[in-house]
Amino acid sequence: MTSLEIRQKNNLRTGVKLAAEIESTSFDLRRFIVIVGYTYNDNIYKSLDQFINSNSDNEIYFEIRCYEIKKEFCKKEYIVDDMLINDIIISDIKGFHLLEEELKKYIKDFSILQPSWNCDNPI
């Protein structure tokens, strides 16, 4: 599936991060992709409201973060950026269409994306 489902879009519209574990570059690493939505208010970054009706799709921006981490670090209580490998952050992706185009560079099947608390994402 190369488009986000309604459930996934609604999660993003209400500030829920989506994430998935994807194929890593090495056997001793785990690789994750994380997506979060946000908006701007007077050019200031703002988290999304928890209500679908209050967030217009024209005003939602997305950030994609793709990173790898050593398996031994995944269970640590605190993860810092220095522990991340091949960390890529793409910000200010405006709208779902552009988000889906960018996601295609990392994953083929969008159905693997789920709320981040369901995928063992350490950050």
Side-chain angles (χ1 to χ4, degrees), residues 3 8-10 26 28 40 44 46 48-49 52 59 64 72 79-80 88 91 94 99 112 123:
S3 62
Q8 292 168 314
K9 287 181 178 181
N10 286 343
S26 175
D28 62 333
Y40 288 101
I44 297 172
K46 179 183 171 224
L48 295 173
D49 294 327
I52 292 174
E59 300 169 5
I64 297 173
E72 63 197 62
I79 304 291
V80 295
I88 298 168
S91 299
K94 188 171 184 180
L99 173 63
I112 66 171
I123 61 170

Side-chain angles (χ1 to χ4, degrees), residues 64-68 81-82 84-89 123:
I64 297 173
R65 186 171 197 170
C66 186
Y67 66 92
E68 291 181 297
D81 284 347
D82 290 345
L84 305 180
I85 302 165
N86 302 323
D87 187 23
I88 298 168
I89 299 173
I123 61 170

Side-chain angles (χ1 to χ4, degrees), residues 28 35 55 58 87 92 99 105 118 120:
D28 62 333
I35 303 134
N55 298 312
N58 298 349
D87 187 23
D92 290 343
L99 173 63
K105 298 175 184 177
N118 285 338
D120 207 21

Side-chain angles (χ1 to χ4, degrees), residues 50-107:
Q50 295 179 355
F51 305 101
I52 292 174
N53 293 339
S54 64
N55 298 312
S56 167
D57 285 355
N58 298 349
E59 300 169 5
I60 298 177
Y61 292 83
F62 299 98
E63 177 181 282
I64 297 173
R65 186 171 197 170
C66 186
Y67 66 92
E68 291 181 297
I69 188 167
K70 290 185 178 185
K71 289 179 180 178
E72 63 197 62
F73 294 152
C74 284
K75 299 299 178 190
K76 288 198 177 281
E77 191 170 328
Y78 298 102
I79 304 291
V80 295
D81 284 347
D82 290 345
M83 296 176 176
L84 305 180
I85 302 165
N86 302 323
D87 187 23
I88 298 168
I89 299 173
I90 304 161
S91 299
D92 290 343
I93 302 168
K94 188 171 184 180
F96 284 104
H97 175 72
L98 292 177
L99 173 63
E100 290 172 346
E101 290 302 311
E102 193 64 38
L103 280 174
K104 289 177 187 176
K105 298 175 184 177
Y106 299 91
I107 56 178

